[in-house]
Structure formats: structure tokens, C-alpha cells
């Protein structure tokens, strides 16, 4: 195993407390890290932290960049501290809801603040400030293309980049140079925002380190079609001569369903192998600038993947193709060292995937919400977890534990209580947290919603739906000392 036995809490950045309508990199994040430090928790797990779009339901898994940070996470108070905003610029602060994110209202408030901060930077920045932005640009080769992509997308909001005029779509050098000149100010603005995000994130990561907390980031295996990633690096993907996808991602039909067509462009693994997986190395380098550990979403796709012809809407028309397998991870280890990866292997029993995880020592995931509590020896019951897994009470894609338990048939509830030794009046959320912490899993993880004993109304995401997801937030008052103390005691009983 690549990890010591440890524990963690999942809470995406958007869910943190704060005064400006959405969790950000400011005071609320520091208070949350203090809570984790008091609880002696080892890990803070988050979703991807890239920009989100309303058209994609604000999903962090459909971002226009696998490298950039979310501008909505920038802390306005930090901009005041930097001198790019005056305190009066923040007023009046809208009466934002504290228990959920109203993304439209947050954008309406924060985007003008970011524009004002950029204008002040342009007016007031010292030579050292400008040199710092230049250094950031040189250190992050993805940044110029990302900034131009967002500028062009804003100028043509009705189109995906695949609908742009041919010279821009296929990245003709003269067309790109002309576009950079035409949109120079917008490009500088986008670069300024990313530089600001990066500085604030690094400051927050330093706070996490002081609290003894490592950050577990998240890597969606596929990127969105309408992203700077595909537009700027067409050679990394299965595209035709016009830079449009020839095949897209999904999963095949199984008994009782028709499969799924996700629509993400697929990687050209042969060409990537010839280039020593340069795009993926760049992605992992950026990730480990921002996080200490990485969860690899849909790990099966590295072993084999389902390729659906781009002109077909039927997942059944797809076929299995070989992924890069061990060659990719050998290259990663040769270039970056032993990488701390967690493999998301839920829902698949594939020998190729299991062998790849075993060879590199990547732990998989086990979630007790998939258990049959009345079947002896069921692998999803925490008592049967091995050190080869990370045990979760819930995930960002499942119901909360209380919501799940409320929907269980009565016999399953009775079997659960019998299995974990819980009395009828015992809080079921702490019964499962204790059971996961007591298991042999190399990591024990829970969500903040489960720590608080919240029901289905606090569910973070329901896959296959667009509305109402990624909105839940915690309040400052909910980060209670008694909960931190109980987690601290659990770690002493089972982890340390």
C-alpha cells in the first residue's frame, strides 16, 4: 500500500461556509481546516476544482479546463488584502442563502469584483507584481491557451469550439495570433484570475499542512468536449482532420439497462504513448501542485474503455478498446515518482482493472450503501473490508447515510443494526462511521453531511440529473467541537 492507515472527510469547496454565497478559499475554508485539525483528521477530500458552467449544471466533472481553478472560489477579502479591491467594493453583500449555493447570484456578485480587481491590478501593479504573473504564465504552459479559449468562448457564447470558424477550430497560427491581439485584455484578465486563484490556493494548502491535513484531489478520467483541453491539444484525442471527435466515451448496455453515452472525447492513447504521455504528465504535475493525493475517477478506463462512434446515439454501437494500462503509470512513476492514487473502481468487476490496481498498489473504493446487510460475508459490509480499499460511508454521488437508511426495507435496517451492534435509538450515521473506522480499510472516509446526520435533502449530487446538484453548504455553527471530539476519539480507537 502507498498509504498509512488514516482517515478523512469529504467536503467540496463549494460547500464550505462563508459570507459570499459559495464556499471559497477564505476564512470559511480556514475554519473548516481548523475543525479537521481539532479532530486529528488526516485528509480533506474534494471534487475537481476547475471552473464550472451553468449549461453543464455546475458539475465540476464537466469543466472547461482540467488545469484551471474555479474563479468563484477566489476570496474577495483576499483581493482587499492584496490591494486590488477596497472594502467598500464588497458592499452591499447580497443576502445569500447559507445552506445552498445560488450560482447565478454568486456570479452576479463576484464577476464584477474580479473585473474591478483586474482593472486595479492594471493600474496599480508594481514591477514585482507583473513579474509574478509572467512567472506564473511561464510555469503553467496551459494558461495562455486556456485564457484565449475562454475569451473566444465568451465572444461566441452560442457555439461550442467545434462550431468556430475553421482557422480557429483547427488552430491556424495566424488566426490564433490575430485572436490573441483582438482579445488581449480579456486574455490578461483570465490570466490574472488564475494567478490569484493559484496564490490563494497555495496559501490555503499551507494552512492545511499546518493542521496536519493532506488534500485529496479528484481526476475525472475524461474531459469535456467544450474545453480548452481538447481545443488546445487535439493531438491527445481521437479527432478527425477538422478536430471533431471520431468516438466518444460511455458504458455498454448491461442486463436491465441500455448503457450510457457520456459524449466525452476519447484519448488517442497510441499517439500519447509515442509522446511519452506528455499531456497526462502535465495534468498530473498540475494536480500535485494543488493536492497531495489523487482519486482517479472511472479507473477502468485506464485498463480498457468503451468507444462509441461519435455519429451514433446508441451505446450498444460501441466496442471495447485497450487503455494504456501499466505503460502510463510506469511513465508517471519514472517522471514524477511514486504517485499517491486512489482508484475509483465502483460498479465494475474487471480482471484487467484489478490486476492494474494490484500491480501498482492503488487502493480501490468500498461504499457500504451497496451492501446486503442480511447476507453473511457481503463484501460491502465494512467488517469485510481489506487494506486494499478506501472505505466510505457515502460519496458525492450517493445519498447521505441517513437518507439511504431511511429508504431501506425494515429487514435490512434490522440486519444492519445487528451487524454493527447498534441499538434502535443509536444514531445510524455514527454507527456506520464507527464501523468504517473500525474496518481494515487503509483509509476511512466520511462526508460532512454524514457527520452531521443529515437526510436526503443534503444530498450533493444525483447522477443523471442536472437541476439541484452541487448546491449544499454547511454553516459555521455546524462545525461543532463535539463532532470534532468524537472523530478524534474514533481515530484514537481505530486509526492511530
Amino acid at each position: 500500500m502507498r498509504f498509512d492507515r488514516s482517515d478523512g472527510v469529504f467536503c467540496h469547496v463549494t460547500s464550505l461556509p462563508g459570507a459570499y454565497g459559495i464556499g471559497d478559499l477564505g476564512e470559511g475554508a480556514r475554519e473548516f481546516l481548523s475543525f479537521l485539525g481539532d479532530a486529528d483528521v488526516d485528509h480533506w477530500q474534494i471534487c475537481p476544482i476547475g471552473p464550472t458552467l451553468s449549461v453543464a449544471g455546475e458539475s465540476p466533472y464537466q469543466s472547461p479546463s482540467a488545469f484551471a481553478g474555479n474563479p468563484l472560489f477566489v476570496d474577495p477579502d483576499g483581493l482587499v488584502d492584496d490591494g486590488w479591491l477596497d472594502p467598500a467594493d464588497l458592499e452591499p453583500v447580497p443576502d445569500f442563502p447559507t445552506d445552498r449555493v445560488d450560482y447565478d447570484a454568486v456570479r452576479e456578485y463576484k464577476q464584477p469584483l474580479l473585473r474591478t480587481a483586474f482593472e486595479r491590478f492594471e493600474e496599480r501593479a508594481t514591477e514585482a507584481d507583473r513579474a509574478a504573473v509572467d512567472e506564473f504564465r511561464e510555469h503553467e504552459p496551459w494558461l495562455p491557451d486556456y485564457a484565449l479559449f475562454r475569451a473566444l468562448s465568451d465572444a461566441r457564447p452560442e457555439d461550442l469550439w467545434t462550431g468556430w470558424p475553421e482557422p480557429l477550430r483547427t488552430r491556424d497560427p495566424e488566426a490564433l495570433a490575430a485572436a490573441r491581439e483582438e482579445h488581449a485584455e480579456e486574455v490578461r484578465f483570465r490570466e490574472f484570475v488564475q494567478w490569484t486563484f493559484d496564490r490563494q490556493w497555495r496559501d490555503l494548502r499551507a494552512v492545511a499542512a499546518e493542521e496536519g491535513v493532506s488534500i485529496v484531489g479528484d481526476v475525472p478520467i475524461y474531459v469535456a468536449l467544450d474545453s480548452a483541453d481538447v481545443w488546445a491539444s487535439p493531438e491527445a484525442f481521437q479527432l478527425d482532420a477538422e478536430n471533431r471527435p471520431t468516438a466518444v466515451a460511455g458504458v455498454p448496455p448491461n442486463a436491465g439497462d441500455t448503457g450510457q453515452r457520456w459524449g466525452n472525447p476519447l484519448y488517442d492513447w497510441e499517439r500519447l504513448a509515442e509522446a511519452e504521455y506528455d499531456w497526462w504528465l502535465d495534468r498530473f504535475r498540475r494536480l500535485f501542485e494543488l493536492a497531495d493525493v489523487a482519486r482517479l475517477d472511472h479507473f477502468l478506463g485506464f485498463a480498457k474503455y468503451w468507444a462509441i462512434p461519435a455519429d451514433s446515439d446508441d451505446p450498444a454501437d460501441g466496442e471495447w478498446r485497450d487503455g494504456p494500462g501499466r505503460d502510463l503509470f510506469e511513465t508517471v512513476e519514472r517522471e514524477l515518482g511514486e504517485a499517491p492514487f486512489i482508484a475509483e473502481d465502483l460498479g465494475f468487476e474487471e480482471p484487467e482493472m484489478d490486476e492494474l490496481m494490484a500491480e501498482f498498489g492503488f487502493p480501490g473504493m468500498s461504499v457500504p450503501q451497496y451492501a446486503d446487510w442480511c447476507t453473511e460475508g457481503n463484501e460491502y459490509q465494512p467488517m469485510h473490508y481489506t487494506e486494499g480499499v478506501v472505505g466510505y460511508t457515502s460519496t458525492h454521488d450517493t445519498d447521505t447515510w441517513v437518507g439511504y437508511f431511511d429508504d431501506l426495507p425494515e429487514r435490512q435496517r434490522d440486519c444492519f443494526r445487528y451487524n454493527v451492534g447498534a441499538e434502535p435509538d443509536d444514531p445510524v450515521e455514527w454507527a456506520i462511521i464507527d464501523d468504517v473506522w473500525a474496518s481494515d480499510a487503509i483509509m476511512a472516509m466520511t462526508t460532512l453531511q454524514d457527520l452531521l446526520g443529515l437526510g436526503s435533502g443534503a444530498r450533493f449530487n444525483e447522477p443523471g440529473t442536472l437541476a439541484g446538484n452541487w448546491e449544499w453548504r454547511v454553516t459555521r455553527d455546524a462545525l461543532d467541537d463535539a463532532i470534532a471530539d468524537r472523530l478524534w476519539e474514533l481515530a484514537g480507537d481505530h486509526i492511530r
Side-chain angles (χ1 to χ4, degrees):
M1 282 292 101
R2 298 177 175 229
F3 304 98
D4 295 326
R5 184 150 161 74
S6 53
D7 61 357
V9 173
F10 168 85
C11 178
H12 190 38
V13 177
T14 55
S15 297
L16 296 172
Y20 302 113
I22 190 171
D24 60 29
L25 309 184
E27 181 183 358
R30 292 189 290 272
E31 290 180 348
F32 175 68
L33 286 169
S34 177
F35 166 82
L36 296 184
D38 290 345
D40 201 20
V41 165
D42 298 301
H43 306 290
W44 170 27
Q45 182 171 338
I46 54 178
C47 288
I49 56 175
T52 61
L53 302 172
S54 59
V55 70
E58 308 297 347
S59 171
Y61 295 89
Q62 290 292 328
S63 175
S65 174
F67 295 81
N70 192 333
L72 299 182
F73 294 172
V74 171
D75 171 32
D77 291 323
L79 293 173
V80 173
D81 293 340
D82 289 337
W84 312 133
L85 290 179
D86 299 325
D89 293 325
L90 306 186
E91 301 297 337
V93 178
D95 186 19
F96 291 115
T98 58
D99 59 348
R100 66 178 184 88
V101 181
D102 181 339
Y103 284 93
D104 289 340
V106 169
R107 281 197 177 89
E108 185 177 346
Y109 174 70
K110 277 199 167 184
Q111 284 180 341
L113 292 180
L114 293 172
R115 296 281 176 182
T116 299
F118 170 65
E119 291 168 5
R120 299 269 175 74
F121 176 87
E122 295 272 271
E123 295 168 359
R124 303 175 181 176
T126 65
E127 289 186 11
D129 294 327
R130 298 183 195 281
V133 175
D134 290 341
E135 183 180 357
F136 177 64
R137 185 188 302 110
E138 292 172 7
H139 183 70
E140 303 294 344
W142 55 270
L143 182 60
D145 277 326
Y146 164 77
L148 180 58
F149 176 83
R150 295 305 301 272
L152 291 170
S153 295
D154 280 357
R156 304 179 64 89
E158 71 280 2
D159 291 329
L160 304 183
W161 70 265
T162 51
W164 291 352
E166 189 272 339
L168 289 176
R169 187 179 70 249
T170 58
R171 298 181 56 80
D172 175 77
E174 291 185 4
L176 293 182
R180 289 188 192 281
E181 183 174 352
E182 179 183 357
H183 300 285
E185 182 174 345
E186 182 68 15
V187 167
R188 291 198 308 275
F189 166 69
R190 296 287 179 173
E191 292 177 342
F192 165 79
V193 171
Q194 289 304 310
W195 173 67
T196 301
F197 172 93
D198 195 77
R199 292 169 66 238
Q200 291 192 358
W201 182 269
R202 289 174 191 272
D203 288 346
L204 187 65
R205 191 177 178 190
V207 173
E210 290 172 3
E211 296 287 355
V213 176
S214 76
I215 297 175
V216 181
D218 202 329
V219 182
I221 185 172
Y222 297 120
V223 298
L225 170 60
D226 195 26
S227 67
D229 310 305
V230 185
W231 175 71
S233 301
E235 69 283 352
F237 299 88
Q238 296 181 31
L239 308 181
D240 61 20
E242 298 297 318
N243 280 6
R244 294 188 174 101
T246 59
V248 297
V251 290
N254 291 309
D257 66 47
T258 59
Q260 297 176 34
R261 184 188 187 277
W262 298 337
N264 306 77
L266 295 167
Y267 298 102
D268 188 333
W269 288 116
E270 290 185 6
R271 200 175 337 177
L272 282 165
E274 293 171 359
E276 294 291 318
Y277 302 104
D278 52 357
W279 187 89
W280 274 96
L281 288 175
D282 288 343
R283 187 179 187 187
F284 286 143
R285 283 192 188 97
R286 176 60 175 163
L287 174 77
F288 289 120
E289 290 176 357
L290 304 173
D292 304 286
V293 179
R295 188 192 81 119
L296 300 180
D297 194 42
H298 193 66
F299 189 80
L300 175 62
F302 293 108
K304 66 178 187 179
Y305 61 94
W306 190 248
I308 304 168
D311 58 2
S312 174
D313 292 326
D314 187 355
D317 289 339
E319 63 178 6
W320 286 113
R321 297 179 185 172
D322 291 335
R326 68 195 309 267
D327 190 43
L328 169 63
F329 294 105
E330 285 179 344
T331 303
V332 170
E333 303 224 321
R334 185 169 61 250
E335 296 295 324
L336 305 182
E338 188 173 273
F341 290 133
I342 298 168
E344 188 277 296
D345 59 340
L346 299 173
F348 298 99
E349 295 182 6
E350 296 288 347
E352 300 98 322
M353 177 181 66
D354 295 340
E355 290 168 7
L356 187 60
M357 291 167 58
E359 179 175 357
F360 288 90
F362 300 156
M365 295 174 58
S366 284
V367 182
Q369 294 192 26
Y370 302 140
D372 181 340
W373 297 102
C374 299
T375 299
E376 185 176 353
N378 183 272
E379 64 179 311
Y380 292 109
Q381 297 173 9
M383 69 182 68
H384 302 299
Y385 290 174
T386 70
E387 69 168 11
V389 303
V390 178
Y392 289 79
T393 61
S394 305
T395 76
H396 66 275
D397 277 340
T398 70
D399 203 344
T400 66
W401 182 262
V402 169
Y404 155 83
F405 189 81
D406 286 346
D407 284 341
L408 277 179
E410 185 174 355
R411 183 166 180 271
Q412 285 286 320
R413 294 188 205 178
D414 291 341
C415 290
F416 166 76
R417 291 192 179 98
Y418 174 80
N419 267 295
V420 303
E423 298 296 326
D425 293 337
D426 290 344
V428 293
E429 66 274 14
W430 283 104
I432 191 60
I433 291 170
D434 185 86
D435 212 38
V436 170
W437 258 241
S439 75
D440 289 336
I442 195 67
M443 285 187 193
M445 288 279 196
T446 189
T447 65
L448 194 52
Q449 292 97 316
D450 286 350
L451 282 178
L452 300 176
L454 301 179
S456 296
R459 180 170 182 162
F460 199 44
N461 177 53
E462 186 170 353
T465 66
L466 278 178
N469 295 318
W470 320 109
E471 293 182 358
W472 179 81
R473 293 184 72 200
V474 67
T475 62
R476 282 182 172 85
D477 293 343
L479 300 177
D480 188 86
D481 289 345
I483 296 175
D485 291 344
R486 190 161 184 177
L487 265 183
W488 184 87
E489 292 172 0
L490 273 183
D493 291 341
H494 302 305
I495 303 293
R496 310 290 176 243

